[in-house]
Amino acid sequence: MHSLFQFFRIIDLAGMSRYRWILALLAIFYSSLSICTASIVRPISESHRSAALELFVPVDESFGSLENTYEALRTLEILGLEKTYDISRATCKAVLETLGSSPSITKDLFYALKVNGILKCQIEAINFEGIASNMLAVLKNANSLPDFYYSIGSLLLIKKHGFEVILPDSDGAFHSIKALSQSDGRWRYDSNGAESSTYAAGMALEALAGIVFLADSEVDQSMIGVVKNDIVKLFDIIKSYNDGTLYFNDKYVHSSDYKSPLEISAAVVRGVTSFAEVSSGKLNIPGNKILGLAKFFLSIGVPGSSKDLFHQIESLSCLENNRIYIPLVISLPGTVLSLTSRDQLKVDVTTVFGAAAPPLSVKLVQAFNSNSEGKPIIENQELHFDKENSIHYLDIASLKMDVGKYKLIFEVSLHNLEDESKYATGGLTSFSAFFTGSIKIDKGELAILNSDGGSAETIEKLDLSKDSFLSLSANHLQKFRLSFQLTTPLGHTFKPHQVFLKLRHETKVEHLFVIDSSARQYKLILDFLGLVEKFYYLSGKYDIELTVGDATMENSFLRTLGFVELDLPEPPEKAAQPPPQPADPYLRYGPKQEISHIFRAPEKRPPKELSLAFLALTFLPLIGFIIGLTKLGVNLKLFPSSPGPAAFSILFHAGIAAVLLLYGLFWLKLDLFTALKALCFLGPFLVFVGHRTLSHLASTSAKLKSS
Amino acid sequence: MAKSTSSDVLTLIRSLRSAYAATPTNLKVVYMGIVGSFPFNSFLSGVLSCVGTAVLAVCLRIQVNKENKEFKDLPPERAFADFVLCNLVLHLVIMNFLG
């Protein structure tokens, strides 16, 4: 692994602006290669347990519906984590409620019984006889597959609780379910539905297995034989991925009842294994198909959803212990092996849950170099067995293998003949592995050549295994030559994926050159005369950086060799300008520039005292006016004395006051529309009372005049 | 007799009011000269309110003055009603403009 890290570090360090995308692609390519080989199935491990604890977390002592609760409890039970949560109090309450109320939906009852089977709630309180007779009635009238499935499943669970359940007409029920099967091994949900489905086949097989288990008398063996034949046909329509994993899937017309391949495969595995459990004789399914299914479930890795995890774990537990074939999984704990530290090639053969396999031996049948397919490098090497760790191993130092990527093909052979019919090992299994080692770099040389036939101006020896610093100088009529050799631990020429030379000018303008290999050595000749334009006529100091990197090279490096002082001619008029250098990409992650908001500068205001002084001054005339008024005395002689006109004139004054008050409010808080609306009422009122008052005054004065 | 007294009092009050109304205008202008014209609409509405009130008061006085033969047929009550109405309209506009 070490060399891989180093390799990626080089990619990271070689942050060359315009070649970065190439490097990124390379990085993705190699990382995908290494992941692909590393992700080849591993048995269920601690990561599944921790994922289960993360995905199944009870809220208020409950996992939600009874179906979800069953899935959670079953998964945790299989993984040996059933003691993690104590949810029995709340869940048992729900279970007893469901079982006590004899619900119309048999599905709820089915899951309640399943949960009860795990939690073992107070079974004395449950009327199992009543539920059983209920279920028998449902079964009698059932005409769709889910009805059969849930009623038979419930009866089976009641029987497992220790109550006697007798299925009166088992042959009839068997026939009714069998009637729904199709010629290709799939099943229909009910007799009216034309669509056949693989998921239904899984359900039907489980229901049939239940009938055989519950039957009071032996079920007709010929019928069981027919169903076995159906199962074989069902396995003929199994689908496969490129990596050899097998799964079941359905074509869907309606998206509403979509089921994922995982769900469908899980249903089939449940059905087939439970049918194999109850039927006598062996099912005629090839071990490879069982192994392919097991690999499909394992290749999912650690699922992200609780449903997926349940289906994966439950179907693997069905496969772990079945009567057809028990799949044995071959896995490599490490696919990157270092020749320097003399790693061992280890092979693990276990069941899907990582339990020990029966006595067996593992043979490395062939090993190919991925670059040169054809002749195998190694043939028929038996692996040693380490009894303590129950692991098969081989010392790679003894294999005389060079660095590189290899395709390894293993074969597992069981020691006992009777195990052959019990376990599926899958014949040959291939893996790819990286053998890494330290690469020797020698004959390093850096030279400045004159253009006249190549006489050397300066020649510097380079020891690329350690840091050194050279200072060279050259002009545009000279050439630059770099050469070195790379040899593998076995003395072969090594061709790394990345061999780059980078020249960087003081102004950060960079130029990248790929170094080609020719006749066992890497050589690069730069003719500065042809490069002046590419260098933008920039004279001065150029740093020399050399990158040599490969996934299998443990000592990959990115090293500054020194600098070369270049003397290039003056640029002509129309010479291209060097492109602007992009900003440091890491700046993107730095703090952003602070945004400064620009507000309108507040207007200059006078000092408060001055404003107040002027306010007082404006009030002075008013005070003078009031004083004058008091001096004169208010003349109310003309105020009408009779009650009618007096009331009008009071109203008139009040109206004026009201309007002024309204103006005040308008200024303070009301808007124009509210003020105008109020004015609409006040105005006519004021006009009316004002007219009455003033006309009264006018008539009295007219009377006076006339008199 | 009563009429003339009342008219005198009325005239006196009006003249005082007119003087009062005009005084803040001068004050406003002085104030603005000192501190600048930042809330210009306030200043403008203040000045216009004072000037408007003064103009209306002058109009009232012209109309109620007996010596002006022009308005002989116009009763002072009618003039007063006009004055009140005009003031109300003027101040509605001023308030709106004052912001």
Side-chain angles (χ1 to χ4, degrees), chain A residues 580-610:
Chain A
Q581 291 307 301
D584 185 359
Y586 291 107
L587 278 182
R588 274 198 303 170
Y589 306 110
K592 287 265 181 280
Q593 200 185 357
E594 201 172 312
I595 299 167
S596 57
H597 297 274
I598 301 166
F599 297 99
R600 213 172 72 179
E603 296 279 345
K604 246 171 76 184
R605 293 292 186 102
K608 207 168 150 196
E609 296 76 25
L610 187 66

PDB file of all heavy atoms in Angstrom, chain A residues 580-610:
ATOM      1  N   PRO A 580      -1.162  34.180 -18.582  1.00  0.00           N
ATOM      2  CA  PRO A 580      -1.176  34.507 -17.152  1.00  0.00           C
ATOM      3  C   PRO A 580      -1.248  33.220 -16.335  1.00  0.00           C
ATOM      4  O   PRO A 580      -1.958  32.278 -16.704  1.00  0.00           O
ATOM      5  CB  PRO A 580      -2.458  35.334 -16.997  1.00  0.00           C
ATOM      6  CG  PRO A 580      -3.314  34.929 -18.140  1.00  0.00           C
ATOM      7  CD  PRO A 580      -2.395  34.568 -19.255  1.00  0.00           C
ATOM      8  N   GLN A 581      -0.470  33.194 -15.276  1.00  0.00           N
ATOM      9  CA  GLN A 581      -0.456  31.981 -14.460  1.00  0.00           C
ATOM     10  C   GLN A 581      -1.711  31.914 -13.606  1.00  0.00           C
ATOM     11  O   GLN A 581      -2.134  32.907 -13.035  1.00  0.00           O
ATOM     12  CB  GLN A 581       0.778  31.979 -13.557  1.00  0.00           C
ATOM     13  CG  GLN A 581       2.058  31.794 -14.329  1.00  0.00           C
ATOM     14  CD  GLN A 581       2.021  30.570 -15.214  1.00  0.00           C
ATOM     15  OE1 GLN A 581       1.846  29.475 -14.733  1.00  0.00           O
ATOM     16  NE2 GLN A 581       2.159  30.737 -16.530  1.00  0.00           N
ATOM     17  N   PRO A 582      -2.318  30.732 -13.563  1.00  0.00           N
ATOM     18  CA  PRO A 582      -3.535  30.631 -12.735  1.00  0.00           C
ATOM     19  C   PRO A 582      -3.182  30.790 -11.268  1.00  0.00           C
ATOM     20  O   PRO A 582      -2.075  30.474 -10.849  1.00  0.00           O
ATOM     21  CB  PRO A 582      -4.026  29.206 -13.018  1.00  0.00           C
ATOM     22  CG  PRO A 582      -2.828  28.465 -13.490  1.00  0.00           C
ATOM     23  CD  PRO A 582      -1.942  29.458 -14.163  1.00  0.00           C
ATOM     24  N   ALA A 583      -4.144  31.281 -10.550  1.00  0.00           N
ATOM     25  CA  ALA A 583      -3.922  31.486  -9.121  1.00  0.00           C
ATOM     26  C   ALA A 583      -3.783  30.123  -8.441  1.00  0.00           C
ATOM     27  O   ALA A 583      -4.206  29.109  -8.972  1.00  0.00           O
ATOM     28  CB  ALA A 583      -5.090  32.242  -8.518  1.00  0.00           C
ATOM     29  N   ASP A 584      -3.157  30.153  -7.310  1.00  0.00           N
ATOM     30  CA  ASP A 584      -2.966  28.919  -6.552  1.00  0.00           C
ATOM     31  C   ASP A 584      -4.321  28.260  -6.274  1.00  0.00           C
ATOM     32  O   ASP A 584      -5.211  28.876  -5.686  1.00  0.00           O
ATOM     33  CB  ASP A 584      -2.279  29.293  -5.219  1.00  0.00           C
ATOM     34  CG  ASP A 584      -1.941  28.044  -4.429  1.00  0.00           C
ATOM     35  OD1 ASP A 584      -2.252  26.943  -4.916  1.00  0.00           O
ATOM     36  OD2 ASP A 584      -1.354  28.191  -3.346  1.00  0.00           O
ATOM     37  N   PRO A 585      -4.507  27.010  -6.722  1.00  0.00           N
ATOM     38  CA  PRO A 585      -5.823  26.391  -6.543  1.00  0.00           C
ATOM     39  C   PRO A 585      -6.212  26.228  -5.081  1.00  0.00           C
ATOM     40  O   PRO A 585      -7.385  26.180  -4.748  1.00  0.00           O
ATOM     41  CB  PRO A 585      -5.681  25.023  -7.215  1.00  0.00           C
ATOM     42  CG  PRO A 585      -4.216  24.773  -7.270  1.00  0.00           C
ATOM     43  CD  PRO A 585      -3.570  26.107  -7.390  1.00  0.00           C
ATOM     44  N   TYR A 586      -5.220  26.161  -4.200  1.00  0.00           N
ATOM     45  CA  TYR A 586      -5.563  25.976  -2.793  1.00  0.00           C
ATOM     46  C   TYR A 586      -6.172  27.231  -2.192  1.00  0.00           C
ATOM     47  O   TYR A 586      -6.812  27.187  -1.155  1.00  0.00           O
ATOM     48  CB  TYR A 586      -4.328  25.561  -2.000  1.00  0.00           C
ATOM     49  CG  TYR A 586      -3.894  24.174  -2.376  1.00  0.00           C
ATOM     50  CD1 TYR A 586      -2.761  23.949  -3.137  1.00  0.00           C
ATOM     51  CD2 TYR A 586      -4.669  23.067  -2.001  1.00  0.00           C
ATOM     52  CE1 TYR A 586      -2.396  22.677  -3.511  1.00  0.00           C
ATOM     53  CE2 TYR A 586      -4.311  21.797  -2.376  1.00  0.00           C
ATOM     54  CZ  TYR A 586      -3.177  21.600  -3.124  1.00  0.00           C
ATOM     55  OH  TYR A 586      -2.832  20.342  -3.496  1.00  0.00           O
ATOM     56  N   LEU A 587      -5.970  28.353  -2.913  1.00  0.00           N
ATOM     57  CA  LEU A 587      -6.558  29.597  -2.398  1.00  0.00           C
ATOM     58  C   LEU A 587      -8.080  29.518  -2.388  1.00  0.00           C
ATOM     59  O   LEU A 587      -8.744  30.210  -1.640  1.00  0.00           O
ATOM     60  CB  LEU A 587      -6.131  30.776  -3.277  1.00  0.00           C
ATOM     61  CG  LEU A 587      -4.749  31.350  -2.978  1.00  0.00           C
ATOM     62  CD1 LEU A 587      -4.483  32.530  -3.866  1.00  0.00           C
ATOM     63  CD2 LEU A 587      -4.651  31.739  -1.519  1.00  0.00           C
ATOM     64  N   ARG A 588      -8.584  28.664  -3.273  1.00  0.00           N
ATOM     65  CA  ARG A 588     -10.044  28.530  -3.341  1.00  0.00           C
ATOM     66  C   ARG A 588     -10.626  28.108  -2.007  1.00  0.00           C
ATOM     67  O   ARG A 588     -11.759  28.398  -1.678  1.00  0.00           O
ATOM     68  CB  ARG A 588     -10.399  27.472  -4.375  1.00  0.00           C
ATOM     69  CG  ARG A 588     -10.495  28.001  -5.766  1.00  0.00           C
ATOM     70  CD  ARG A 588     -11.251  27.058  -6.617  1.00  0.00           C
ATOM     71  NE  ARG A 588     -10.629  25.728  -6.600  1.00  0.00           N
ATOM     72  CZ  ARG A 588     -11.176  24.659  -7.098  1.00  0.00           C
ATOM     73  NH1 ARG A 588     -12.373  24.741  -7.614  1.00  0.00           N
ATOM     74  NH2 ARG A 588     -10.571  23.499  -7.073  1.00  0.00           N
ATOM     75  N   TYR A 589      -9.827  27.352  -1.247  1.00  0.00           N
ATOM     76  CA  TYR A 589     -10.347  26.826   0.013  1.00  0.00           C
ATOM     77  C   TYR A 589     -10.051  27.752   1.178  1.00  0.00           C
ATOM     78  O   TYR A 589     -10.450  27.486   2.295  1.00  0.00           O
ATOM     79  CB  TYR A 589      -9.762  25.447   0.272  1.00  0.00           C
ATOM     80  CG  TYR A 589      -9.980  24.519  -0.892  1.00  0.00           C
ATOM     81  CD1 TYR A 589      -8.937  24.103  -1.701  1.00  0.00           C
ATOM     82  CD2 TYR A 589     -11.271  24.109  -1.217  1.00  0.00           C
ATOM     83  CE1 TYR A 589      -9.163  23.286  -2.786  1.00  0.00           C
ATOM     84  CE2 TYR A 589     -11.502  23.292  -2.302  1.00  0.00           C
ATOM     85  CZ  TYR A 589     -10.445  22.884  -3.080  1.00  0.00           C
ATOM     86  OH  TYR A 589     -10.671  22.086  -4.156  1.00  0.00           O
ATOM     87  N   GLY A 590      -9.300  28.804   0.906  1.00  0.00           N
ATOM     88  CA  GLY A 590      -8.962  29.732   1.966  1.00  0.00           C
ATOM     89  C   GLY A 590     -10.154  30.622   2.298  1.00  0.00           C
ATOM     90  O   GLY A 590     -11.219  30.518   1.683  1.00  0.00           O
ATOM     91  N   PRO A 591      -9.972  31.497   3.294  1.00  0.00           N
ATOM     92  CA  PRO A 591     -11.092  32.377   3.633  1.00  0.00           C
ATOM     93  C   PRO A 591     -11.366  33.356   2.499  1.00  0.00           C
ATOM     94  O   PRO A 591     -10.444  33.844   1.844  1.00  0.00           O
ATOM     95  CB  PRO A 591     -10.609  33.096   4.895  1.00  0.00           C
ATOM     96  CG  PRO A 591      -9.127  32.966   4.865  1.00  0.00           C
ATOM     97  CD  PRO A 591      -8.805  31.723   4.138  1.00  0.00           C
ATOM     98  N   LYS A 592     -12.610  33.614   2.263  1.00  0.00           N
ATOM     99  CA  LYS A 592     -13.008  34.554   1.218  1.00  0.00           C
ATOM    100  C   LYS A 592     -12.746  35.983   1.695  1.00  0.00           C
ATOM    101  O   LYS A 592     -12.695  36.258   2.892  1.00  0.00           O
ATOM    102  CB  LYS A 592     -14.490  34.374   0.906  1.00  0.00           C
ATOM    103  CG  LYS A 592     -14.774  33.111   0.132  1.00  0.00           C
ATOM    104  CD  LYS A 592     -14.813  33.420  -1.344  1.00  0.00           C
ATOM    105  CE  LYS A 592     -15.112  32.195  -2.163  1.00  0.00           C
ATOM    106  NZ  LYS A 592     -13.971  31.331  -2.396  1.00  0.00           N
ATOM    107  N   GLN A 593     -12.605  36.852   0.701  1.00  0.00           N
ATOM    108  CA  GLN A 593     -12.390  38.248   1.044  1.00  0.00           C
ATOM    109  C   GLN A 593     -13.627  38.812   1.726  1.00  0.00           C
ATOM    110  O   GLN A 593     -14.754  38.475   1.355  1.00  0.00           O
ATOM    111  CB  GLN A 593     -12.126  39.021  -0.232  1.00  0.00           C
ATOM    112  CG  GLN A 593     -11.428  40.336   0.006  1.00  0.00           C
ATOM    113  CD  GLN A 593     -11.303  41.107  -1.282  1.00  0.00           C
ATOM    114  OE1 GLN A 593     -11.676  40.641  -2.337  1.00  0.00           O
ATOM    115  NE2 GLN A 593     -10.772  42.297  -1.179  1.00  0.00           N
ATOM    116  N   GLU A 594     -13.389  39.623   2.719  1.00  0.00           N
ATOM    117  CA  GLU A 594     -14.518  40.160   3.464  1.00  0.00           C
ATOM    118  C   GLU A 594     -15.296  41.153   2.593  1.00  0.00           C
ATOM    119  O   GLU A 594     -14.699  41.966   1.890  1.00  0.00           O
ATOM    120  CB  GLU A 594     -14.017  40.852   4.721  1.00  0.00           C
ATOM    121  CG  GLU A 594     -15.089  40.989   5.761  1.00  0.00           C
ATOM    122  CD  GLU A 594     -14.519  41.505   7.068  1.00  0.00           C
ATOM    123  OE1 GLU A 594     -13.492  40.967   7.520  1.00  0.00           O
ATOM    124  OE2 GLU A 594     -15.108  42.433   7.613  1.00  0.00           O
ATOM    125  N   ILE A 595     -16.596  41.032   2.656  1.00  0.00           N
ATOM    126  CA  ILE A 595     -17.423  41.929   1.848  1.00  0.00           C
ATOM    127  C   ILE A 595     -17.705  43.178   2.669  1.00  0.00           C
ATOM    128  O   ILE A 595     -18.213  43.090   3.798  1.00  0.00           O
ATOM    129  CB  ILE A 595     -18.747  41.245   1.472  1.00  0.00           C
ATOM    130  CG1 ILE A 595     -18.453  39.989   0.659  1.00  0.00           C
ATOM    131  CG2 ILE A 595     -19.633  42.197   0.695  1.00  0.00           C
ATOM    132  CD1 ILE A 595     -19.643  39.095   0.498  1.00  0.00           C
ATOM    133  N   SER A 596     -17.326  44.338   2.128  1.00  0.00           N
ATOM    134  CA  SER A 596     -17.616  45.568   2.873  1.00  0.00           C
ATOM    135  C   SER A 596     -18.815  46.250   2.228  1.00  0.00           C
ATOM    136  O   SER A 596     -18.867  46.441   1.014  1.00  0.00           O
ATOM    137  CB  SER A 596     -16.408  46.500   2.847  1.00  0.00           C
ATOM    138  OG  SER A 596     -16.071  46.779   1.516  1.00  0.00           O
ATOM    139  N   HIS A 597     -19.778  46.515   3.032  1.00  0.00           N
ATOM    140  CA  HIS A 597     -21.004  47.136   2.530  1.00  0.00           C
ATOM    141  C   HIS A 597     -20.846  48.646   2.520  1.00  0.00           C
ATOM    142  O   HIS A 597     -20.278  49.215   3.448  1.00  0.00           O
ATOM    143  CB  HIS A 597     -22.177  46.751   3.412  1.00  0.00           C
ATOM    144  CG  HIS A 597     -22.440  45.298   3.389  1.00  0.00           C
ATOM    145  ND1 HIS A 597     -23.221  44.694   2.444  1.00  0.00           N
ATOM    146  CD2 HIS A 597     -21.985  44.304   4.187  1.00  0.00           C
ATOM    147  CE1 HIS A 597     -23.241  43.400   2.655  1.00  0.00           C
ATOM    148  NE2 HIS A 597     -22.507  43.133   3.710  1.00  0.00           N
ATOM    149  N   ILE A 598     -21.353  49.247   1.474  1.00  0.00           N
ATOM    150  CA  ILE A 598     -21.255  50.710   1.393  1.00  0.00           C
ATOM    151  C   ILE A 598     -22.629  51.303   1.660  1.00  0.00           C
ATOM    152  O   ILE A 598     -23.588  51.019   0.932  1.00  0.00           O
ATOM    153  CB  ILE A 598     -20.742  51.149   0.008  1.00  0.00           C
ATOM    154  CG1 ILE A 598     -19.377  50.532  -0.250  1.00  0.00           C
ATOM    155  CG2 ILE A 598     -20.683  52.663  -0.078  1.00  0.00           C
ATOM    156  CD1 ILE A 598     -18.946  50.621  -1.676  1.00  0.00           C
ATOM    157  N   PHE A 599     -22.723  52.055   2.705  1.00  0.00           N
ATOM    158  CA  PHE A 599     -23.975  52.739   3.025  1.00  0.00           C
ATOM    159  C   PHE A 599     -23.852  54.198   2.629  1.00  0.00           C
ATOM    160  O   PHE A 599     -22.736  54.718   2.538  1.00  0.00           O
ATOM    161  CB  PHE A 599     -24.275  52.646   4.520  1.00  0.00           C
ATOM    162  CG  PHE A 599     -24.490  51.244   4.990  1.00  0.00           C
ATOM    163  CD1 PHE A 599     -23.473  50.547   5.619  1.00  0.00           C
ATOM    164  CD2 PHE A 599     -25.707  50.611   4.777  1.00  0.00           C
ATOM    165  CE1 PHE A 599     -23.668  49.259   6.038  1.00  0.00           C
ATOM    166  CE2 PHE A 599     -25.899  49.326   5.198  1.00  0.00           C
ATOM    167  CZ  PHE A 599     -24.884  48.649   5.836  1.00  0.00           C
ATOM    168  N   ARG A 600     -24.995  54.825   2.436  1.00  0.00           N
ATOM    169  CA  ARG A 600     -24.942  56.250   2.121  1.00  0.00           C
ATOM    170  C   ARG A 600     -24.501  57.005   3.360  1.00  0.00           C
ATOM    171  O   ARG A 600     -25.010  56.737   4.462  1.00  0.00           O
ATOM    172  CB  ARG A 600     -26.329  56.738   1.684  1.00  0.00           C
ATOM    173  CG  ARG A 600     -26.237  57.844   0.646  1.00  0.00           C
ATOM    174  CD  ARG A 600     -27.574  58.152   0.099  1.00  0.00           C
ATOM    175  NE  ARG A 600     -28.380  58.842   1.088  1.00  0.00           N
ATOM    176  CZ  ARG A 600     -29.616  59.237   0.841  1.00  0.00           C
ATOM    177  NH1 ARG A 600     -30.157  58.995  -0.329  1.00  0.00           N
ATOM    178  NH2 ARG A 600     -30.312  59.858   1.759  1.00  0.00           N
ATOM    179  N   ALA A 601     -23.537  57.860   3.162  1.00  0.00           N
ATOM    180  CA  ALA A 601     -23.046  58.609   4.316  1.00  0.00           C
ATOM    181  C   ALA A 601     -24.181  59.473   4.861  1.00  0.00           C
ATOM    182  O   ALA A 601     -24.931  60.071   4.090  1.00  0.00           O
ATOM    183  CB  ALA A 601     -21.883  59.504   3.895  1.00  0.00           C
ATOM    184  N   PRO A 602     -24.356  59.504   6.177  1.00  0.00           N
ATOM    185  CA  PRO A 602     -25.457  60.309   6.720  1.00  0.00           C
ATOM    186  C   PRO A 602     -25.221  61.794   6.418  1.00  0.00           C
ATOM    187  O   PRO A 602     -24.083  62.275   6.411  1.00  0.00           O
ATOM    188  CB  PRO A 602     -25.400  60.020   8.222  1.00  0.00           C
ATOM    189  CG  PRO A 602     -24.033  59.470   8.465  1.00  0.00           C
ATOM    190  CD  PRO A 602     -23.592  58.825   7.207  1.00  0.00           C
ATOM    191  N   GLU A 603     -26.320  62.494   6.158  1.00  0.00           N
ATOM    192  CA  GLU A 603     -26.204  63.925   5.864  1.00  0.00           C
ATOM    193  C   GLU A 603     -25.730  64.669   7.110  1.00  0.00           C
ATOM    194  O   GLU A 603     -25.899  64.202   8.231  1.00  0.00           O
ATOM    195  CB  GLU A 603     -27.586  64.464   5.454  1.00  0.00           C
ATOM    196  CG  GLU A 603     -28.101  63.854   4.177  1.00  0.00           C
ATOM    197  CD  GLU A 603     -27.524  64.507   2.941  1.00  0.00           C
ATOM    198  OE1 GLU A 603     -26.948  65.595   3.079  1.00  0.00           O
ATOM    199  OE2 GLU A 603     -27.635  63.917   1.852  1.00  0.00           O
ATOM    200  N   LYS A 604     -25.164  65.803   6.826  1.00  0.00           N
ATOM    201  CA  LYS A 604     -24.702  66.586   7.974  1.00  0.00           C
ATOM    202  C   LYS A 604     -25.909  67.109   8.736  1.00  0.00           C
ATOM    203  O   LYS A 604     -26.827  67.691   8.154  1.00  0.00           O
ATOM    204  CB  LYS A 604     -23.850  67.759   7.485  1.00  0.00           C
ATOM    205  CG  LYS A 604     -22.397  67.627   7.916  1.00  0.00           C
ATOM    206  CD  LYS A 604     -21.533  68.648   7.253  1.00  0.00           C
ATOM    207  CE  LYS A 604     -21.708  70.041   7.863  1.00  0.00           C
ATOM    208  NZ  LYS A 604     -20.892  71.021   7.106  1.00  0.00           N
ATOM    209  N   ARG A 605     -25.923  66.862  10.029  1.00  0.00           N
ATOM    210  CA  ARG A 605     -27.037  67.363  10.846  1.00  0.00           C
ATOM    211  C   ARG A 605     -26.515  68.474  11.748  1.00  0.00           C
ATOM    212  O   ARG A 605     -25.360  68.414  12.192  1.00  0.00           O
ATOM    213  CB  ARG A 605     -27.593  66.237  11.731  1.00  0.00           C
ATOM    214  CG  ARG A 605     -28.283  65.126  10.973  1.00  0.00           C
ATOM    215  CD  ARG A 605     -29.574  65.618  10.334  1.00  0.00           C
ATOM    216  NE  ARG A 605     -30.298  64.510   9.732  1.00  0.00           N
ATOM    217  CZ  ARG A 605     -31.343  63.940  10.300  1.00  0.00           C
ATOM    218  NH1 ARG A 605     -31.780  64.347  11.469  1.00  0.00           N
ATOM    219  NH2 ARG A 605     -31.978  62.947   9.702  1.00  0.00           N
ATOM    220  N   PRO A 606     -27.374  69.431  12.017  1.00  0.00           N
ATOM    221  CA  PRO A 606     -26.933  70.494  12.929  1.00  0.00           C
ATOM    222  C   PRO A 606     -26.840  69.946  14.338  1.00  0.00           C
ATOM    223  O   PRO A 606     -27.451  68.934  14.651  1.00  0.00           O
ATOM    224  CB  PRO A 606     -28.056  71.517  12.821  1.00  0.00           C
ATOM    225  CG  PRO A 606     -29.237  70.714  12.443  1.00  0.00           C
ATOM    226  CD  PRO A 606     -28.737  69.595  11.604  1.00  0.00           C
ATOM    227  N   PRO A 607     -26.108  70.650  15.192  1.00  0.00           N
ATOM    228  CA  PRO A 607     -26.086  70.215  16.588  1.00  0.00           C
ATOM    229  C   PRO A 607     -27.479  70.317  17.196  1.00  0.00           C
ATOM    230  O   PRO A 607     -28.311  71.122  16.793  1.00  0.00           O
ATOM    231  CB  PRO A 607     -25.111  71.202  17.253  1.00  0.00           C
ATOM    232  CG  PRO A 607     -24.897  72.281  16.261  1.00  0.00           C
ATOM    233  CD  PRO A 607     -25.221  71.749  14.921  1.00  0.00           C
ATOM    234  N   LYS A 608     -27.741  69.435  18.156  1.00  0.00           N
ATOM    235  CA  LYS A 608     -29.080  69.310  18.718  1.00  0.00           C
ATOM    236  C   LYS A 608     -29.538  70.620  19.384  1.00  0.00           C
ATOM    237  O   LYS A 608     -30.685  71.024  19.254  1.00  0.00           O
ATOM    238  CB  LYS A 608     -29.020  68.202  19.779  1.00  0.00           C
ATOM    239  CG  LYS A 608     -30.328  67.488  20.000  1.00  0.00           C
ATOM    240  CD  LYS A 608     -30.051  66.245  20.841  1.00  0.00           C
ATOM    241  CE  LYS A 608     -31.251  65.911  21.700  1.00  0.00           C
ATOM    242  NZ  LYS A 608     -30.871  64.969  22.765  1.00  0.00           N
ATOM    243  N   GLU A 609     -28.591  71.266  20.065  1.00  0.00           N
ATOM    244  CA  GLU A 609     -28.950  72.476  20.816  1.00  0.00           C
ATOM    245  C   GLU A 609     -29.482  73.550  19.874  1.00  0.00           C
ATOM    246  O   GLU A 609     -30.475  74.235  20.174  1.00  0.00           O
ATOM    247  CB  GLU A 609     -27.725  73.036  21.571  1.00  0.00           C
ATOM    248  CG  GLU A 609     -27.171  72.130  22.651  1.00  0.00           C
ATOM    249  CD  GLU A 609     -26.367  70.978  22.104  1.00  0.00           C
ATOM    250  OE1 GLU A 609     -25.826  71.100  20.988  1.00  0.00           O
ATOM    251  OE2 GLU A 609     -26.314  69.925  22.788  1.00  0.00           O
ATOM    252  N   LEU A 610     -28.800  73.630  18.711  1.00  0.00           N
ATOM    253  CA  LEU A 610     -29.207  74.662  17.754  1.00  0.00           C
ATOM    254  C   LEU A 610     -30.633  74.408  17.280  1.00  0.00           C
ATOM    255  O   LEU A 610     -31.472  75.312  17.238  1.00  0.00           O
ATOM    256  CB  LEU A 610     -28.232  74.648  16.570  1.00  0.00           C
ATOM    257  CG  LEU A 610     -28.409  75.771  15.568  1.00  0.00           C
ATOM    258  CD1 LEU A 610     -28.082  77.120  16.186  1.00  0.00           C
ATOM    259  CD2 LEU A 610     -27.545  75.540  14.342  1.00  0.00           C
TER     260      LEU A 610
END
